[in-house]
Amino acid sequence: MMKYILVTGGVISGIGKGIIASSVGTILKSCGLRVTAIKIDPYINIDAGTFSPYEHGEVFVLDDGGEVDLDLGNYERFLDIRLTRDNNLTTGKIYQSVINKERRGDYLGKTVQVVPHITDAIQEWVVNQAKVPVDGDEIEPQVCVIELGGTVGDIESMPFVEAFRQFQFKVKRENFCNIHVSLIPQPSATGEQKTKPTQNSVRELRGLGLSPDLIMCRCSTALENSVKEKISMFCHVEPQQVICVHDVTSIYRVPLLLENQGVVSYLSRRLNMPIETKSRTMLTKWKEMSDRSDRLLEHCSIALVGKYTKFSDSYASVIKALEHSALAISHRLEVKYIDSTYLEPSTLQEEPVKYHEAWQKLCSADGILVPGGFGVRGTEGKIHAINWARKQRKPFLGVCLGMQLAVCEYARNVLGWSDANSTEFDPESNHPVVIDMPEHNPGQMGGTMRLGKRRTIFKTSNSVLRKLYGDKEYVEERHRHRFEVNPELKSHFEDKGFHFVGQDVEGERMEIIELDDHPYFVGVQYHPEFTSRPIKPSPPYLGLLLAAAGKLQSYLQKGCRLSPRDMYSDQSGSSTPDSEMADLKFTPVTDSA
């Protein structure tokens, strides 16, 4: 029987349910179980595709083109699985499916209501999606971790809570358990850990028909025993069912934190799961990786030039990809967030202090990254940053819009096309070096971009990025864009040493750019950050970090192998992140990227 673990949250949203759900899945997977994950978002949007990053953070893109919540990125990175769009369930999707059934006449003239029709649809969706293989094989998962977004008591999540109240009886108690994540505030005035918010949250959850099996307490410092006993007494659980999840130096320590408090042994008893007793190599490697990240001495700084820099979750996967690459080369990462509008000359007149601070950050960074984005605001600032990186020979990586703006910058300042631009920003430009794609539907915003996993063919054998990818003939990466480089103008760039080294299967879309005579000037139309893993860094990001640390050429000369002092492990004879962490690799990745 499938085992279902529901993760709910109390007191506040954004408390870390996604990391905790991922960590629970990770420690179960380390025991030899096959694990999948579902994220439920109670908003009415069909998917996350039309959100501003300031709403819920970045929009994560899956292989099948699903635009989903960033927590699915956490699931994929922690569990090393490949999810589909239906692993992200929203109120909009449920209501749309029920209304479509009603229009077809599936309900035989009955009154369609929240109970039972909406709640039944939720349960049916979860049961069906839990069976979908996620490990690159055709084997059904054994455990499904379900995260219910928001906070218990929210009016919009009520149908989902009711659905799971019913669900626990349908699948039987031994196949369903509830983990409730709650906040233990610690007011600075007294320094005392307060349990009342958790008591109230659990009381509300129990009033809705769900009783938590584990209460995971988010707190800034370790939970005191007296506090744990108080929660146990007032929340109707044993003291060992109260788990402390305090702030740690790295999110990759959270699975170890849960493991050390007996979460696996409790779940194995509670859900009657067959747990292997053999040595857990995966968790040993996970601990080694966490310990190593705390011991890093060498330092590397990357300037992230974007327009959503006030909220770090806007670039969650980008930051994780940089961290994976920095860890692989034994460097401590510093990300310098730069609002691209502050780099523009107009800011010099209006807010000179912010202008000079932004340029000081940019000039002092070891490498420059311009990530994806939409809209004209801040684009000129990004072009100024790209121009500086090109002229000063600073390592540069442009992703999606970042690549398109690198093309615009080169056209303006090297080819002499002063008005070169994207038709997204200037439809009347005489030199439209970036144009909208023919299949784009301008009348419909949601789900109309070029989305999901697509193949990119390398056109040259001496490409730096090709070498970083292991000299593969092609790679498959995830895309999310409406505009593309104008293929008709390609020859003008290549004549000057600006090469389109990667193109799509038809040879019509420009996917990868590289510049001659530069330490590392690379742009990619796809989003390589979505497939980066702690144990397998994304090659474009790894290249940026290696170049920023001054190690790219020696890495390439050694056949893309790190020197012994930069090995991924202090205890292994291996010298590449991939081979060193092979024991931690859960399943073979069939994808080239």
Side-chain angles (χ1 to χ4, degrees):
M1 285 290 291
M2 174 71 68
K3 307 295 182 181
Y4 300 93
I5 300 172
L6 175 66
V7 180
T8 55
V11 186
I12 59 170
S13 60
I15 199 172
K17 294 189 300 298
I19 298 297
I20 288 172
S22 303
S23 300
V24 168
T26 299
I27 56 177
L28 290 174
K29 188 154 190 173
S30 75
C31 298
L33 295 167
R34 295 185 300 278
V35 183
T36 185
I38 294 173
K39 172 68 190 295
I40 295 175
D41 286 302
Y43 45 67
I44 297 175
N45 304 60
I46 298 294
D47 60 29
T50 55
F51 282 145
S52 158
Y54 283 139
E55 289 286 314
H56 296 273
E58 74 169 5
V59 177
F60 191 80
V61 179
L62 302 171
D63 281 349
D64 66 354
E67 296 171 286
V68 297
D69 185 85
L70 61 81
D71 273 323
L72 276 82
N74 287 323
Y75 304 157
E76 287 205 343
R77 282 186 288 269
F78 272 75
L79 297 167
D80 198 22
I81 55 179
R82 297 296 177 108
L83 300 173
T84 66
R85 68 178 76 231
D86 287 341
N87 286 86
N88 192 193
L89 177 55
T90 70
T91 296
K93 284 182 181 177
I94 285 293
Y95 273 81
Q96 187 180 56
S97 71
V98 169
I99 289 168
N100 287 342
K101 284 183 178 179
E102 187 276 331
R103 291 290 83 188
R104 289 198 306 265
D106 290 7
Y107 296 115
L108 302 173
K110 286 193 166 56
T111 304
V112 180
Q113 297 174 291
V114 173
V115 180
H117 301 99
I118 296 295
T119 52
D120 283 354
I122 293 166
Q123 295 171 62
E124 183 184 346
W125 191 298
V126 168
V127 168
N128 291 338
Q129 195 58 33
K131 296 175 183 174
V132 176
V134 292
D135 282 321
D137 52 25
E138 295 305 315
I139 304 173
E140 278 188 19
Q142 297 164 290
V143 180
C144 180
V145 180
I146 306 154
E147 179 192 347
L148 177 56
T151 309
V152 167
D154 291 347
I155 192 167
E156 58 190 5
S157 64
M158 287 300 185
F160 294 100
V161 176
E162 171 59 21
F164 286 109
R165 185 195 68 77
Q166 300 171 21
F167 189 65
Q168 63 186 334
F169 301 112
K170 283 187 182 176
V171 299
K172 304 292 185 272
R173 174 177 162 76
E174 65 270 18
N175 298 315
F176 178 91
C177 80
N178 174 213
I179 295 174
H180 189 61
V181 184
S182 187
L183 177 69
I184 305 293
Q186 196 167 358
S188 56
T190 62
E192 184 185 0
Q193 294 178 326
K194 296 293 186 181
T195 65
K196 192 62 72 179
T198 296
Q199 293 177 43
N200 291 337
S201 174
V202 171
R203 186 183 302 117
E204 182 153 20
L205 183 63
R206 290 170 64 82
L208 295 169
L210 287 172
S211 293
D213 296 283
L214 289 173
I215 298 174
M216 297 210 175
C217 302
R218 283 288 292 112
C219 40
S220 53
T221 56
L223 211 58
E224 296 166 13
N225 277 335
S226 59
V227 175
K228 186 179 276 198
E229 287 165 5
K230 191 173 182 182
I231 293 168
S232 164
M233 182 168 62
F234 286 106
C235 295
H236 201 65
V237 293
E238 295 279 346
Q240 61 263 33
Q241 292 171 260
V242 181
I243 307 297
C244 167
V245 189
H246 57 79
D247 293 349
V248 286
T249 53
S250 161
I251 59 170
Y252 301 117
R253 285 203 176 278
V254 180
L256 305 169
L257 197 60
L258 301 186
E259 164 72 11
N260 292 338
Q261 294 177 74
V263 170
V264 166
S265 57
Y266 174 82
L267 290 175
S268 68
R269 293 193 307 273
R270 170 67 180 77
L271 295 173
N272 191 24
M273 288 190 292
I275 298 292
E276 296 179 12
T277 55
K278 67 174 187 179
S279 171
R280 313 251 303 276
T281 310
M282 191 185 107
L283 274 192
T284 305
K285 290 290 185 181
W286 203 271
K287 181 179 187 306
E288 186 183 320
M289 183 173 67
S290 303
D291 289 343
R292 195 161 166 276
S293 70
D294 292 341
R295 294 198 304 265
L296 299 176
L297 298 175
E298 291 185 277
H299 170 273
C300 187
S301 61
I302 300 294
L304 192 155
V305 183
K307 58 190 280 191
Y308 309 113
T309 52
K310 293 182 179 68
F311 185 40
S312 61
D313 270 359
S314 301
Y315 300 110
S317 291
V318 169
I319 301 303
K320 292 289 180 288
L322 289 171
E323 288 174 354
H324 301 161
S325 297
L327 186 59
I329 65 165
S330 298
H331 277 61
R332 186 175 296 281
L333 174 70
E334 180 193 359
V335 178
K336 299 185 176 189
Y337 294 95
I338 302 174
D339 188 324
S340 56
T341 56
Y342 294 162
L343 298 173
E344 296 174 0
S346 58
T347 305
L348 178 60
Q349 308 302 320
E350 298 161 9
E351 297 179 275
V353 173
K354 287 184 176 177
Y355 176 85
H356 289 295
E357 284 177 347
W359 274 102
Q360 192 278 330
K361 277 186 185 178
L362 185 77
C363 297
S364 61
D366 298 315
I368 296 170
L369 169 65
V370 178
F374 296 92
V376 69
R377 182 176 69 83
T379 52
E380 291 302 317
K382 292 175 185 178
I383 288 175
H384 283 296
I386 294 166
N387 177 260
W388 192 86
R390 181 176 60 80
K391 287 184 173 177
Q392 300 298 320
R393 296 173 55 79
K394 279 281 183 184
F396 165 79
L397 175 62
V399 175
C400 196
L401 177 64
M403 168 190 152
Q404 295 173 2
L405 293 179
V407 173
C408 293
E409 187 279 328
Y410 199 83
R412 290 181 188 182
N413 299 309
V414 178
L415 301 185
W417 301 342
S418 58
D419 71 333
N421 214 329
S422 166
T423 56
E424 180 182 5
F425 314 128
D426 181 10
E428 305 304 319
S429 169
N430 292 321
H431 295 94
V433 293
V434 178
I435 56 175
D436 59 344
M437 291 181 289
E439 65 265 42
H440 167 48
N441 176 4
Q444 183 93 6
M445 293 295 285
T448 57
M449 288 184 273
R450 184 168 178 249
L451 293 163
K453 186 169 76 173
R454 312 274 177 146
R455 182 168 292 189
T456 295
I457 312 288
F458 284 108
K459 295 296 180 182
T460 59
S461 58
N462 60 346
S463 154
V464 171
L465 208 52
R466 178 170 181 164
K467 291 173 186 172
L468 288 168
Y469 271 107
D471 204 28
K472 293 188 167 76
E473 292 184 5
Y474 65 87
V475 293
E476 290 181 324
E477 295 274 16
R478 298 173 182 179
H479 292 67
R480 183 176 186 247
H481 63 112
R482 280 196 177 91
F483 293 80
E484 62 175 339
V485 174
N486 189 342
E488 294 179 5
L489 303 177
K490 172 185 158 189
S491 60
H492 295 278
F493 290 88
E494 299 210 311
D495 291 345
K496 295 281 188 178
F498 188 96
H499 300 290
F500 297 96
V501 299
Q503 297 171 24
D504 72 344
V505 177
E506 289 78 27
E508 296 172 356
R509 297 216 157 93
M510 306 301 111
E511 293 278 358
I512 303 171
I513 61 163
E514 288 182 13
L515 182 63
D516 285 347
D517 302 320
H518 194 285
Y520 190 79
F521 191 96
V522 171
V524 290
Q525 183 60 73
Y526 49 81
H527 288 266
E529 64 270 19
F530 292 145
T531 50
S532 183
R533 300 287 183 265
I535 50 176
K536 189 180 182 188
S538 167
Y541 286 91
L542 181 62
L544 176 65
L545 264 293
L546 283 165
K551 298 180 178 180
L552 179 60
Q553 288 309 312
S554 64
Y555 180 78
L556 294 175
Q557 285 165 10
K558 291 173 184 174
C560 292
R561 295 177 69 82
L562 295 170
S563 61
R565 63 185 296 276
D566 289 325
M567 291 191 306
Y568 205 88
S569 166
D570 300 325
Q571 305 165 7
S572 166
S574 162
S575 58
T576 67
D578 282 2
S579 57
E580 159 56 20
M581 301 303 277
D583 289 339
L584 183 47
K585 196 78 184 74
F586 312 125
T587 55
V589 175
T590 53
D591 187 299
S592 302

